Amino acid sequence: MRELLDTCVELMDLIQSVPQPVIARVHGLATAAGCQLVATCDLAVAAHSAGFAAPGGKGGWFCHTPMVAIARNIGRKRAAELAYTGDVITAAQALDWGLVNRAVPDQDLDKEVRGLLTRATRGSRASKATGKRTLYEQLSLPQADAYRLAARVMAETSQTPAAREGMAAFLGKRQPTWND
């Protein structure tokens, strides 16, 4: 069992370490590790018919590992409710609680995922990769340290080809051309 859980943790770490944005597309019941997967992805879109649960609290095997990612998305009080009760929450609740970015009619799920993916992947790939890495790194730091990290990375990346092209395009009122 420990090997299985360690593999699951490796997958969650991998999702957040790859340079590309990862989007969860939820159209059913995301329970336990499925809910953890949604919480771990960078972005998430759920169909109105989707549900989310960490059912261990109502059974005999508490959802310890899923709650790591879930709690970091929804906060302590809501995480405690989800964990202790094991109740299923709706897509609307998941949106309200911050577990997903969008809750859409079932028939619009693919369109919304494609649209969000298109917007989330536009721009410089190198800049996006640095941004994703720094976002997750700073989230685990106290605020003062997070600002130091963000200011350092922002200053360092201000001179990259992508940053220079983005600024030149903005000032020149033109679309940027990305070479990465």
Side-chain angles (χ1 to χ4, degrees):
M1 186 49 63
R2 181 62 188 259
E3 186 177 322
L4 173 66
L5 292 169
D6 287 346
T7 300
C8 184
V9 169
E10 286 175 26
L11 173 63
M12 302 306 152
D13 288 343
L14 177 64
I15 288 169
Q16 291 185 336
S17 71
V18 298
Q20 300 84 8
V22 178
I23 298 180
R25 177 189 173 277
V26 189
H27 59 89
L29 179 61
T31 183
C35 193
Q36 176 185 9
L37 182 62
V38 172
T40 299
C41 288
D42 302 307
L43 304 165
V45 180
H48 284 162
S49 62
F52 303 84
K58 67 180 180 186
W61 194 32
F62 200 86
C63 291
H64 299 286
T65 56
M67 291 313 300
V68 171
I70 295 167
R72 281 166 171 69
N73 279 245
I74 66 175
R76 185 175 66 85
K77 294 288 189 187
R78 288 176 168 158
E81 180 180 341
L82 201 62
Y84 299 157
T85 67
D87 291 345
V88 174
I89 63 169
T90 66
Q93 269 183 294
L95 176 63
D96 181 55
W97 288 14
L99 186 59
V100 300
N101 300 88
R102 308 267 190 288
V104 300
D106 290 38
Q107 67 272 15
D108 295 339
L109 182 60
D110 289 335
K111 178 182 172 190
E112 186 64 32
V113 169
R114 274 192 305 277
L116 183 56
L117 184 60
T118 298
R119 294 188 312 279
T121 57
R122 65 184 165 205
S124 162
R125 288 188 309 232
S127 176
K128 192 83 62 184
T130 301
K132 180 175 174 175
R133 185 179 64 248
T134 305
L135 173 67
Y136 286 115
E137 187 176 345
Q138 67 87 16
L139 283 171
S140 67
L141 299 173
Q143 182 172 305
D145 295 339
Y147 272 123
R148 277 190 286 283
L149 170 67
R152 178 183 57 77
V153 172
M154 198 160 187
E156 289 170 1
T157 59
S158 70
Q159 301 308 305
T160 64
R164 288 178 182 220
E165 170 59 13
M167 288 180 209
F170 175 77
L171 294 173
K173 297 183 185 343
R174 63 172 174 81
Q175 289 297 314
T177 303
W178 307 113
N179 294 322
D180 58 0

